[in-house]
Amino acid sequence: MMRKIPLLLIPGLLCDHALWQHQVAVLGQISECIVTKKHMQYETIGRIAEAVVADAPDRFSLAGLSMGGYIALEICRRYGNRVERLALIDTSARADSAEQIEKRQKLIALCRQGKFTDVNELLFSVLVHPDRVEDGALKRRIVDMANRIGPEVFIRQQQAIMGRSNQVPCLSDISCPTVIVCGEQDRVTPLECSEEMAGLIQDSQLEIITHCGHMTSMEKPERVSAILLEWLTTH
């Protein structure tokens, strides 16, 4: 029997296993899919990275979306010799700008005022392609994830994100086969962030998903699963 590829899947902000539901179903045929929960538990990206790797096999493939990508990049910086393949999905290697930090702090303030429902509404409006804002089924799935995680974890995750380091100088050190995926209309981590990473990571491939926002694994699940399946089996 062929050995299944260990694949760590790291969800994004306010996301859990449901973010990767389609990918686990497809990729589980050839890989041992491990969806971490460590991204909910600590207040720094570095500490999360340590916790993820502490539970990981000696060698593994690694995929992260959004905040999950920030964590994946930190894992590569610290433990790159253990990463066989890397998938960076709708994410960025840059640290937060002052404007981004201000926006996050406003969302944290809303949470502390008991307005987590308002936060969910604000976030959903920018997470998906404009044509999907009225997609009730997709919205329920995304909001249900957020509600399972809740405001306390959201605040902790935002603090970790705001404190993360700039990974751009480290991108040229990544040498494993890398696929970079981005929704063409991603308004959270725009396409230019993915293009920057693709330009600096050797042996990387950029996949742009048309008519898609930030939540590619849920908006265009078949396309993302196909890309990751090729990424896992080509090398």
Side-chain angles (χ1 to χ4, degrees), residues 39-54:
H39 68 304
M40 305 182 200
Q41 297 176 5
Y42 303 98
E43 292 183 359
T44 69
I45 296 294
R47 183 68 187 90
I48 296 167
E50 290 174 5
V52 171
V53 171

Side-chain angles (χ1 to χ4, degrees), residues 12-206:
L13 174 73
L14 282 179
C15 296
D16 61 14
H17 62 278
L19 181 74
W20 302 110
Q21 184 175 352
H22 190 277
Q23 290 72 48
V24 168
V26 172
L27 303 176
Q29 302 168 40
I30 63 163
S31 63
E32 178 192 355
C33 296
I34 305 163
V35 182
T36 186
K37 297 180 181 179
K38 302 296 184 184
H39 68 304
M40 305 182 200
Q41 297 176 5
Y42 303 98
E43 292 183 359
T44 69
I45 296 294
R47 183 68 187 90
I48 296 167
E50 290 174 5
V52 171
V53 171
D55 287 347
D58 290 340
R59 297 273 292 169
F60 51 85
S61 294
L62 178 63
L65 186 148
S66 196
M67 178 189 182
Y70 309 152
I71 297 163
L73 285 169
E74 182 66 13
I75 289 172
C76 284
R77 187 179 73 82
R78 296 183 181 214
Y79 312 101
N81 61 322
R82 294 178 61 179
V83 180
E84 292 186 343
R85 301 173 190 80
L86 175 65
L88 299 169
I89 305 171
D90 294 278
T91 192
S92 171
R94 303 172 187 175
D96 264 2
S97 65
E99 180 183 0
Q100 288 171 316
I101 289 173
E102 184 180 359
K103 288 180 179 178
R104 294 189 196 280
Q105 288 172 334
K106 286 179 179 177
L107 292 174
I108 289 172
L110 284 175
C111 281
R112 288 177 170 154
Q113 293 163 21
K115 298 179 179 178
F116 186 57
T117 300
D118 293 347
V119 169
N120 280 339
E121 289 292 331
L122 287 168
L123 288 175
F124 182 76
S125 67
V126 298
L127 283 176
V128 300
H129 189 282
D131 290 349
R132 293 190 184 87
V133 171
E134 302 301 323
D135 184 335
L138 178 62
K139 182 175 182 178
R140 278 192 300 276
R141 292 175 62 209
I142 291 173
V143 170
D144 283 351
M145 280 198 302
N147 286 332
R148 284 194 294 272
I149 289 166
E152 290 184 10
V153 172
F154 174 74
I155 291 170
R156 187 156 59 239
Q157 289 181 324
Q158 289 284 35
Q159 290 168 336
I161 291 170
M162 288 188 292
R164 75 187 189 280
S165 59
N166 176 22
Q167 298 278 5
V168 173
C170 306
L171 294 176
S172 60
D173 295 331
I174 297 172
S175 57
C176 63
T178 301
V179 66
I180 298 161
V181 181
C182 189
E184 191 172 20
Q185 288 79 30
D186 186 338
R187 288 174 285 172
V188 179
T189 50
L191 181 56
E192 66 181 64
C193 298
S194 288
E195 291 172 335
E196 177 179 57
M197 293 187 294
L200 293 171
I201 298 174
Q202 56 182 312
D203 197 19
S204 66
Q205 172 185 348
L206 176 61

Side-chain angles (χ1 to χ4, degrees), residues 208-224:
I208 301 168
I209 301 183
T210 58
H211 198 253
C212 194
H214 185 65
M215 301 293 284
T216 50
S217 66
M218 298 179 80
E219 291 184 67
K220 293 284 187 84
E222 295 86 358
R223 180 73 183 115
V224 172

